[in-house]
């Protein structure tokens, strides 16, 4: 059963990565149920399955379901895995995505800063998850009118992504585009 659960989660994640959400939905809830039943609520595999299903609900626009599952995932990850664990940070980052998407700005900057600090500490500055957190915090700055801080963080993110991923990588391009938006909002048309 545990092999089945891991395979189902992998298949489900592959399907939602391709935008085939209905197909993903046939696998991810089953994987979560198997992991819960055999490993318990606070096991890393259970948390991974919860995060995958939360992400699917988020991508499908089912925010209430995503919120409820994410709240449980965050709590169980903190209790079972600890605050600095990669899956705990993934769940917290996903919570930030849900907050951002639904316009819940209260506490978003604090959460984004915390996840970034933890990822820098545990993964290093050049890890893709850290770079993702840098980009997420810069976006939150941009959305909350802190454009100068957004531009500064986007500059840092672009510099690291250019070095690590190269100029042509889609993630680098996204950060460059967001930096250009920040510059435009600041009236720095030359940059």
């Amino acid at each position: 059963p545990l092999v089945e659960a891991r395979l189902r989660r992998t298949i489900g994640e592959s399907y939602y990565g391709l935008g085939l959400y209905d197909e993903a939905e046939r696998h991810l809830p089953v994987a979560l149920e198997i992991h819960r039943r055999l490993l318990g609520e606070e096991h890393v595999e259970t948390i991974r399955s919860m995060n995958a299903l939360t992400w699917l609900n988020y991508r499908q626009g089912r925010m209430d379901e995503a919120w409820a599952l994410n709240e449980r995932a965050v709590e169980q990850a903190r209790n079972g895995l600890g605050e600095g664990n990669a899956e705990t940070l993934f769940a917290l980052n996903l919570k930030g995505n849900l907050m951002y998407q639904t316009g819940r700005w209260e506490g978003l900057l604090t959460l984004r800063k915390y996840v970034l600090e933890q990822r820098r500490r545990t993964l290093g500055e050049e890890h893709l998850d850290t770079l993702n957190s840098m980009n997420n915090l810069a976006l939150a700055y941009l959305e909350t009118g802190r454009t100068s801080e957004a531009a500064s963080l986007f500059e840092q993110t672009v510099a690291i992504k250019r070095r690590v991923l190269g100029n042509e990588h889609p993630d680098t391009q996204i950060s460059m585009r967001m930096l250009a938006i920040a510059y435009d909002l600041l009236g720095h048309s030359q940059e």
Side-chain angles (χ1 to χ4, degrees), residues 41-58:
E41 294 286 336
E42 295 177 355
H43 192 277
V44 67
E45 293 296 328
T46 306
I47 304 300
R48 281 188 184 127
S49 291
M50 291 177 78
N51 284 336
L53 187 55
T54 299
W55 186 251
L56 176 64
N57 287 329
Y58 167 76

Side-chain angles (χ1 to χ4, degrees), residues 59-108:
R59 299 298 293 177
Q60 290 177 304
R62 296 191 323 224
M63 295 303 175
D64 290 341
E65 292 174 52
W67 268 107
L69 192 56
N70 179 254
E71 287 295 317
R72 286 197 354 248
V74 167
E75 180 182 341
Q76 291 166 3
R78 282 178 162 159
N79 291 338
L81 306 176
E83 205 57 43
N85 180 276
E87 283 306 313
T88 304
L89 294 174
F90 186 89
L92 288 167
N93 188 65
L94 188 50
K95 180 178 182 171
N97 291 349
L98 290 165
M99 292 170 76
Y100 182 90
Q101 191 68 33
T102 57
R104 297 179 188 183
W105 308 115
E106 183 73 32
L108 177 62

Side-chain angles (χ1 to χ4, degrees), residues 100 135 138-139 141-143 146-152 154-155 158 172-191:
Y100 182 90
N135 205 71
L139 281 170
Y141 281 145
L142 200 59
E143 281 295 322
R146 296 169 69 168
T147 310
S148 293
E149 290 168 281
S152 176
F154 278 130
E155 288 170 344
V158 167
T172 305
Q173 299 276 319
I174 289 169
S175 292
M176 290 170 67
R177 181 171 48 97
M178 297 312 298
L179 176 56
I181 290 169
Y183 282 155
D184 184 53
L185 290 170
L186 289 169
H188 300 168
S189 57
Q190 283 300 114
E191 288 89 341

